[in-house]
Amino acid sequence: MTFPKLHRFTRVSLLALALATPLAPVLTTPAHAFFGGFGRIVYDPTNHAENLLTAARSLEQINNQIAQLQNEAQMLINQARNLSSLPFSSLQQLQQNIQRTQQLLSQAQSIAFDVQQIDRMFQQDYGKLSISATDAQLIADARSRWENTLGGLQDAMRVQAGVVGNIDSNRSAMSALVDQSQNAVGALQATQAGNQLLALQSQQLSDLIAVISANGRATAMLEADRATAAEQGRIQRERFLTPGSGYQPGNAQMFNSGN
């Protein structure tokens, strides 16, 4: 700043004047008397030089105090910046993305992502088949399993589509958070931006888990359907090969002989 520089210039000038003043007695007399209307005044060059040195030291102390106050003020400004909160939050957008994925998972057809319901449905549709079941019952069970498998594949594709739909919003949130982090004015803002980036990463990880779970569910249902279909085929083949009563002759009426 110009103010401390002016003080340093004044201090140097005073010191130069103070150093030059003791040389005056070599050319002049030690004291000069001035006579005025109020009496006799004596000028002492040595005393004057000491006064100048004292003033220079005092001025230097004042400059040091001013510099210390400026440093303390800058320290307070930096502390205020470090405590400044980030004026941006992506939490609502991330929560909306997670909620959409959860809604897709909760709309699972036939067999939901619930342990008790999975046990019940598998016992009902994929359990041990009875050899005494009628053909109509076997056909109905096979169709129910087919519908379950088809629904699982559709659910997996719907979850995949929802996760892909979150990519664009995640990209926007990531870009905004990176800008906020780069333009942070203090440590707190930078930390908060970093925490929100971690939250975004957690949301993307949740979407990945949802896709893997939906795909695994569809694959498991498809394999269960194949295993049950194989068992059903075995039962039907065994029923077909089981010896029966054989051919029994009987009368057949081919034409109406009422006339």
Side-chain angles (χ1 to χ4, degrees), residues 30-238:
H32 298 274
F34 297 92
F35 298 92
F38 297 98
R40 187 168 178 267
I41 301 176
V42 178
Y43 170 69
D44 188 354
T46 303
N47 187 29
H48 180 68
E50 292 178 354
N51 291 336
L52 290 177
L53 289 174
T54 301
R57 295 191 184 98
S58 300
L59 182 59
E60 185 176 4
Q61 292 178 355
I62 293 175
N63 288 336
N64 293 336
Q65 293 175 358
I66 292 175
Q68 183 178 359
L69 291 175
Q70 290 176 344
N71 293 334
E72 292 178 355
Q74 187 64 40
M75 186 183 301
L76 293 175
I77 293 174
N78 293 335
Q79 290 178 355
R81 290 177 177 177
N82 288 333
L83 295 177
S84 178
S85 180
L86 186 70
F88 177 81
S89 176
S90 61
L91 179 60
Q92 183 177 2
Q93 182 176 350
L94 297 180
Q95 288 178 337
Q96 290 176 353
N97 293 342
I98 294 176
Q99 185 176 5
R100 283 195 294 267
T101 303
Q102 288 178 335
Q103 288 177 351
L104 291 174
L105 293 176
S106 64
Q107 295 171 2
Q109 306 175 48
S110 301
I111 300 179
F113 291 91
D114 180 80
V115 176
Q116 295 180 353
Q117 185 175 359
I118 289 174
D119 292 340
R120 183 172 61 255
M121 292 297 295
F122 260 76
Q123 184 66 27
Q124 175 182 339
D125 294 338
Y126 301 91
K128 185 176 180 180
L129 300 180
S130 174
I131 193 172
S132 60
T134 63
D135 291 339
Q137 184 64 39
L138 292 177
I139 294 174
D141 292 342
R143 181 174 183 81
S144 177
R145 292 191 300 272
W146 172 80
E147 291 177 350
N148 292 342
T149 303
L150 188 63
L153 294 173
Q154 183 180 2
D155 291 339
M157 295 180 66
R158 294 177 72 244
V159 173
Q160 293 170 8
V163 170
V164 171
N166 290 337
I167 292 178
D168 187 64
S169 60
N170 291 340
R171 179 190 58 79
S172 300
M174 180 178 63
S175 177
L177 288 172
V178 170
D179 291 339
Q180 291 291 331
S181 177
Q182 292 177 345
N183 297 326
V185 299
L188 180 59
Q189 288 191 2
T191 302
Q192 290 178 339
N195 290 339
Q196 293 191 42
L197 284 171
L198 292 177
L200 175 60
Q201 185 178 7
S202 299
Q203 184 262 316
Q204 292 173 332
L205 182 60
S206 298
D207 282 350
L208 179 60
I209 294 175
V211 171
I212 294 175
S213 300
N215 291 341
R217 172 178 176 269
T219 301
M221 294 174 67
L222 181 60
E223 294 299 326
D225 186 19
R226 290 176 179 175
T228 308
E231 175 65 12
Q232 180 177 335
R234 185 192 66 79
I235 292 175
Q236 290 177 327
R237 183 174 62 254
E238 181 180 352

